[in-house]
Amino acid sequence: MKKVNIDKSWEYAESSLYSVLNVANLECEWKPVDLPHDAVIERPRCENNPSGASEGYTPGCSLYYKKELMLEEEWKGKNLILEFEGIMGISEVFVNGRLVAKHFNGYTSFFVDITKHVKFDDKNTIVVHVENTHKPSSRWYAGCGIYRHVWLHVGGKVYIKPWHLHVETKAIENETAILEVRAAVANSTNESVQGVMEFSIFSNDGELITSSQEQLILSENEEKTVSKIITLSPFKYWDIENPYLYKILATIKIDEDIEDSSSAFFGIRTISVSPKEGLKLNGKPIKLKGGCIHHDNGPLGSASYDRAEERKVELLKASGFNAVRLAHNPFAPAFLDACDRLGMLVIEEFFDVWTAGKVSYDYHLFFDKYWEEDLKATIMRDYNHPSIIMWSIGNEITWGVGIDVDDEEGYSSIYTWCKRLAQKVKELDSTRLVTAAFCAIPADYESLLTTIEDGSNVIRMLKQEAVAGNDKWGKVTEKFFKFLDVAGYNYKVDRYSYDLEKYPNRIICGTETYPYTLFKNWTETVKNPNVIGDFVWTAIDYLGEAGIGRVCTDENEAKMFGGEFPWFYANCGDIDICGDKRPQSYYRDIVWGLRKEPYIVVLPPQLFGKKLYFRPWAWEPVERSYTFPGYEGMPIAVHVYADADEVEVFVNGRSLGRKVCGINSQFKAVYNTVYEPGVIEAVVYKNGKEIGRDKIETTDRPVALKLLPDRNVISSCGDLCYIKIIAVDKNEREVPYADNTVTVEVEGAGRFMALGTADPLSTELFVSSQRKLYKGRALAVVKSIREKGEIRVRVLAEGLKIAEVVIKCI
């Protein structure tokens, strides 16, 4: 089917009014909007909002969207299907005043066949009602609205069903790939038809490689799947270093005329797992250097722009990740497309809850009725993505069970659902692995806050529990994991070595691990052959679960799961919401062997000597700064991350001595000294020879702004440009303490979209063009407006030199 984007020229209104009979003429204050759109990110947060820390104290919304749609005359007699990639909230779709669809999962895409509800002699009115006022409805920031793309599929009377053109690699023999191509075809007429289905495969640069035909015979109103075996010899693998993509084009021809067509990209790759050899991609062993991420796009809220999704993958690749876990729901197609193009492996997850809820109004209210529909929609939509190597049927499902672990009858429902979901996935897609992320059980929650560094003691303790019959976690998971290909362990690194012995055939993936235990996480992953990878919580910071990664000086505050208002961000990502690497990300570079030079960070003098209380997802509150006005002569701690035999730190040329800074010290060294403005330098040595150095220096006051766009040339068709705003001194050095208020002005072929910082406590709105710098930085986002030309961005701040940058739109 032809796929037409209809994101432009919608209207929206916030209203609790509801009239089924006159929904197209609701008396609301309509505002123009182009999709995608998140209404929540536009509204102030409040400490009294019932969404609480989980959703970042954001408000709920009841929204209407409206679009007037004129259909082309040539579409008359064809099949017309709307595709909503994602609507966050309980949604109802009306066409010309008639209710035609309801949907209850904010993360799954769905279709609405409007063929019988439209007219060609007048405008058609599409109205979408989105209800997301019942709070809390999520454990993280979800947003509200039509936050992903909307498409109109136009197909012939005989058409290929959307999401139903699939390519499966059946076998690889020497240099030949044997592919099975399948297309589901529907005949919408009351008479039988005969024709030909033609399958054509194109190379990455658009060259036709091969073409094959299959006879097509359909009875009246019949649907059937047409399949064909096609061989490619030679062929190119898709992998993370060379993510080679092919294109499949399926065409229906009746009486030599093209009746309908559909296309998709795919890759040829193999995946396998075994307890002795771990995970193999295309026959080569690989450990997953993974990170979990949520769906939001930082300052843009949940609005899913193609460039925003692509940029996330670029940031992950640049920081050494080769895999990502989509927590805890299906993501936008644009994100998966980017993973395909850039070479990022994916675990795509279906559900955060099954029948038992984690918050009052989450998906558990609808799971019983709609799980199969949503699971099938995700697999059918995403089947061709070579980046997806595993489906996850659930995350930490034992939350909220509230029953005794020894109650076999009580837990039987968990096992039954696990078996049912896993079998359904395999029925729909037998080519990928199935996993689920398992965390603490009700008898085991205390272990979430306990870190035992001595692995031998952990194994000894577990063996003692097993002998005494007290290994509750092992008892439950033994039954749960038997239905899965890969056992997902959340925060259970201490069990890896023990479970290799106890369950020698179990294949494990660290589906969530704490950032601060990175050294142990990765050491245990590499050491145990049956552990295929490690996924930190999280790779990119996100909105909601506010403050779970905070460090406190108050013990009582530290005992709270989330932070009190005005906390907004989780504050636990390797990469902050503006796309900048945090200290833990540079430490990861060292542990993963990606960085040769040392990296210096400093514990600020105002925190030195204080008792610090870490939430489990926190990192040390160190900064990439040696500028602390007013703290001269006060003690500080200098932290150095490095993979070397020794490190030597110099303060203004004076050596503070050498310390061990290699694997035996977990790649860390700490020096306590006194703050004196100037230069700190770290030099690292191996076998007595210098192998790298790093330095940071005290800066002067800010005098100007520097603008760094992520790209200087963008598409004119609604593309995004991300522009870093950095305060600099007279020598153009970044001033890390600058907190000037900046104002962004945009002229020309673009418009302002958002302005954000990494400040997790700010109550400033991202949609405002004015904001205070945080640690000397901010991030502006501008969007092209479908005009070729230039976008001129000016940033002003009182007392600072104006900065300007020009972005070309082509």
Side-chain angles (χ1 to χ4, degrees):
M1 301 183 83
K2 181 180 180 181
K3 191 174 179 181
V4 181
N5 183 272
I6 57 170
D7 286 346
K8 281 185 63 63
S9 302
W10 288 69
E11 295 176 283
Y12 81 103
E14 184 168 5
S15 175
S16 58
L17 297 174
Y18 188 80
S19 171
V20 174
L21 296 178
N22 198 25
V23 70
N25 297 307
L26 286 167
E27 295 182 4
C28 303
E29 184 181 345
W30 294 100
K31 301 175 185 178
V33 67
D34 291 340
L35 306 179
H37 177 239
D38 174 14
V40 173
I41 209 67
E42 303 168 357
R43 291 158 169 73
R45 300 185 299 121
C46 174
E47 60 185 319
N48 296 322
N49 281 331
S51 61
S54 291
E55 296 180 68
Y57 303 97
T58 52
C61 290
S62 181
L63 302 170
Y64 286 91
Y65 290 86
K66 180 172 68 173
K67 182 177 178 64
E68 303 294 340
L69 182 65
M70 287 295 296
L71 299 175
E72 297 182 17
E73 189 66 24
E74 66 184 59
W75 296 346
K76 208 166 189 176
K78 294 182 178 292
N79 286 277
L80 305 172
I81 301 174
L82 291 177
E83 177 187 352
F84 293 91
E85 286 189 359
I87 303 178
M88 187 51 66
I90 299 172
S91 56
E92 298 168 295
V93 182
F94 299 82
V95 177
N96 295 327
R98 178 177 295 179
L99 177 64
V100 295
K102 294 184 180 183
H103 194 70
F104 299 91
N105 189 324
Y107 297 103
T108 54
S109 304
F110 65 101
F111 292 117
V112 181
D113 191 330
I114 62 173
T115 307
K116 297 178 181 179
H117 306 292
V118 297
K119 48 194 175 183
F120 283 83
D121 56 352
D122 199 357
K123 290 181 180 179
N124 295 276
T125 302
I126 300 171
V127 173
V128 179
H129 177 226
V130 186
E131 183 64 39
N132 197 358
T133 54
H134 295 84
K135 297 294 177 182
S137 61
S138 176
R139 294 195 299 116
W140 54 86
Y141 177 87
C144 181
I146 308 179
Y147 72 109
R148 294 179 184 165
H149 296 308
V150 181
W151 305 89
L152 176 63
H153 294 262
V154 182
K157 294 179 180 180
V158 180
Y159 64 94
I160 300 167
K161 296 176 67 175
W163 302 347
H164 282 70
L165 173 60
H166 294 161
V167 181
E168 178 184 341
T169 302
K170 300 295 287 186
I172 292 177
E173 300 173 356
N174 299 321
E175 296 185 359
T176 299
I178 302 172
L179 310 176
E180 182 181 29
V181 183
R182 299 185 295 270
V185 182
N187 176 16
S188 64
T189 71
N190 293 321
E191 54 187 32
S192 61
V193 296
Q194 294 187 28
V196 171
M197 174 73 79
E198 183 175 81
F199 295 111
S200 300
I201 294 180
F202 297 85
S203 67
N204 205 20
D205 55 8
E207 181 182 349
L208 177 63
I209 299 174
T210 186
S211 185
S212 182
Q213 293 186 344
E214 188 74 13
Q215 290 298 310
L216 180 63
I217 302 175
L218 291 168
S219 302
E220 59 183 63
N221 297 305
E222 182 186 9
E223 292 185 11
K224 67 163 47 173
T225 297
V226 180
S227 62
K228 187 76 174 177
I229 296 296
I230 299 176
T231 60
L232 288 185
S233 183
F235 71 94
K236 292 184 179 180
Y237 279 109
W238 181 96
D239 60 36
I240 57 176
E241 285 82 22
N242 180 28
Y244 192 91
L245 292 172
Y246 292 92
K247 180 181 177 181
I248 178 73
L249 172 65
T251 305
I252 297 174
K253 293 182 179 180
I254 299 177
D255 297 329
E256 299 301 320
D257 294 326
I258 295 177
E259 178 69 13
D260 196 49
S261 65
S262 180
S263 65
F265 291 98
F266 70 96
I268 299 172
R269 56 106 182 93
T270 64
I271 50 174
S272 63
V273 288
S274 74
K276 292 185 178 180
E277 297 184 315
L279 174 67
K280 288 185 176 182
L281 175 66
N282 301 327
K284 300 176 182 178
I286 185 173
K287 292 282 187 179
L288 300 178
K289 296 177 177 177
C292 302
I293 61 171
H294 272 310
H295 75 295
D296 74 72
N297 283 305
L300 296 170
S302 62
S304 177
Y305 295 91
D306 290 3
R307 173 56 190 161
E309 305 293 355
E310 179 183 60
R311 179 174 175 265
K312 282 192 289 195
V313 182
E314 289 178 351
L315 293 171
L316 292 167
K317 288 282 289 188
S319 288
F321 291 94
N322 63 21
V324 62
R325 173 175 172 241
L326 309 185
H328 303 289
N329 39 260
F331 272 36
F335 181 86
L336 295 169
D337 290 342
C339 290
D340 291 344
R341 290 194 308 272
L342 300 175
M344 178 69 66
L345 300 174
V346 175
I347 300 176
E348 185 164 25
E349 200 154 65
F350 300 115
F351 308 112
D352 185 48
V353 293
W354 294 347
T355 55
K358 296 176 182 176
V359 295
S360 299
Y361 300 103
D362 63 20
Y363 184 71
H364 82 280
L365 299 173
F366 310 105
F367 177 84
D368 276 351
K369 189 171 183 180
Y370 296 106
W371 71 269
E372 189 170 1
E373 174 186 315
D374 288 325
L375 185 151
K376 182 178 180 180
T378 301
I379 292 178
M380 299 305 286
R381 187 197 74 173
D382 297 339
Y383 187 93
N384 288 321
H385 290 288
S387 55
I388 300 174
I389 59 171
M390 270 188 273
W391 302 112
S392 173
I393 59 175
N395 172 65
E396 300 180 347
I397 297 302
T398 50
W399 273 30
V401 173
I403 56 178
D404 191 285
V405 70
D406 293 317
D407 181 0
E408 289 291 330
E409 184 177 349
Y411 260 87
S412 65
S413 64
I414 296 289
Y415 306 137
T416 299
W417 275 110
C418 182
K419 180 180 180 181
R420 185 180 301 171
L421 289 162
Q423 287 180 340
K424 188 62 182 179
V425 172
K426 288 296 188 183
E427 175 188 318
L428 295 168
D429 180 9
S430 61
T431 70
R432 290 181 172 92
L433 306 168
V434 181
T435 188
F438 207 91
C439 191
I441 54 178
D444 190 38
Y445 282 122
E446 294 78 8
S447 67
L448 284 171
L449 301 177
T450 303
T451 300
I452 303 175
E453 296 297 337
D454 188 340
S456 61
N457 284 342
V458 173
I459 293 176
R460 188 183 306 107
M461 177 187 68
L462 290 171
K463 287 182 176 179
Q464 290 171 352
E465 288 183 349
V467 171
N470 295 327
D471 186 4
K472 308 288 189 181
W473 197 86
K475 183 177 181 180
V476 172
T477 60
E478 190 168 355
K479 295 183 178 180
F480 188 87
F481 286 145
K482 74 178 182 180
F483 306 115
L484 308 175
D485 301 310
V486 176
Y489 279 36
N490 282 11
Y491 312 110
K492 290 294 183 181
V493 177
D494 290 326
R495 290 195 65 107
Y496 288 176
S497 294
Y498 172 71
D499 284 358
L500 174 62
E501 179 182 326
K502 184 174 182 180
Y503 308 108
N505 294 319
R506 180 178 290 183
I507 299 159
I508 296 170
C509 182
T511 37
E512 286 181 31
T513 57
Y514 298 123
Y516 199 63
T517 58
L518 166 60
F519 179 83
K520 179 175 67 174
N521 303 342
W522 191 243
T523 300
E524 290 296 306
T525 299
V526 172
K527 181 176 72 174
N528 291 285
N530 65 326
V531 179
I532 64 173
D534 175 72
F535 288 76
V536 65
W537 190 270
T538 55
I540 301 176
D541 206 14
Y542 57 98
L543 309 179
E545 285 196 302
I548 67 165
R550 69 193 187 280
V551 177
C552 311
T553 55
D554 182 277
E555 184 177 4
N556 290 326
E557 180 189 352
K559 291 178 181 178
M560 299 171 56
F561 181 82
E564 294 181 329
F565 184 84
W567 272 97
F568 192 12
Y569 313 159
N571 205 51
C572 61
D574 271 31
I575 300 166
D576 69 29
I577 69 154
C578 293
D580 291 321
K581 289 165 68 77
R582 301 171 74 207
Q584 67 198 59
S585 181
Y586 289 98
Y587 179 66
R588 184 177 304 279
D589 291 343
I590 301 293
V591 174
W592 280 352
L594 304 175
R595 182 184 175 95
K596 302 302 181 184
E597 297 77 20
Y599 190 75
I600 303 171
V601 287
V602 176
L603 181 70
Q606 58 267 36
L607 293 178
F608 186 91
K610 291 187 177 181
K611 176 69 173 176
L612 301 177
Y613 298 92
F614 285 56
R615 291 300 301 158
W617 297 271
W619 190 261
E620 299 161 317
V622 292
E623 301 177 7
R624 178 70 168 177
S625 173
Y626 193 54
T627 305
F628 307 105
Y631 287 92
E632 290 80 5
M634 301 294 289
I636 61 172
V638 178
H639 294 232
V640 180
Y641 307 148
D643 180 7
D645 296 335
E646 292 180 308
V647 59
E648 186 173 14
V649 168
F650 298 86
V651 177
N652 294 327
R654 185 180 70 257
S655 175
L656 300 184
R658 294 192 182 191
K659 290 190 175 185
V660 172
C661 193
I663 192 168
N664 292 329
S665 64
Q666 299 188 11
F667 306 122
K668 293 182 181 179
V670 180
Y671 290 80
N672 292 333
T673 186
V674 172
Y675 174 57
E676 55 179 81
V679 179
I680 290 184
E681 191 164 21
V683 181
V684 290
Y685 307 90
K686 268 193 177 180
N687 299 320
K689 294 182 178 181
E690 179 183 329
I691 60 169
R693 60 176 59 210
D694 184 31
K695 74 174 182 178
I696 52 177
E697 56 187 344
T698 306
T699 62
D700 293 324
R701 65 180 182 85
V703 299
L705 295 170
K706 179 190 293 186
L707 305 185
L708 300 175
D710 66 335
R711 297 174 299 161
N712 294 103
V713 179
I714 65 174
S715 165
S716 61
C717 299
D719 202 357
L720 301 181
C721 182
Y722 288 79
I723 303 168
K724 288 184 182 180
I725 304 169
I726 302 173
V728 295
D729 67 7
K730 62 184 180 182
N731 296 314
E732 294 198 353
R733 297 174 302 185
E734 187 171 342
V735 182
Y737 68 85
D739 61 356
N740 308 66
T741 296
V742 297
T743 302
V744 177
E745 297 178 348
V746 181
E747 298 176 349
R751 66 182 180 91
F752 170 83
M753 291 294 293
L755 178 63
T757 69
D759 182 0
L761 300 174
S762 176
T763 57
E764 299 165 295
L765 290 176
F766 294 124
V767 293
S768 171
S769 59
Q770 191 174 79
R771 193 182 188 95
K772 288 182 66 174
L773 296 174
Y774 178 67
K775 296 184 179 178
R777 290 190 167 209
L779 179 74
V781 187
V782 298
K783 179 186 177 185
S784 61
I785 54 174
R786 301 180 186 275
E787 294 178 6
K788 293 184 179 181
E790 292 181 341
I791 304 174
R792 191 173 299 275
V793 181
R794 300 171 74 239
V795 184
L796 306 82
E798 186 177 353
L800 303 183
K801 184 180 178 182
I802 295 174
E804 186 174 290
V805 67
V806 175
I807 309 301
K808 187 175 182 180
C809 299
I810 59 174

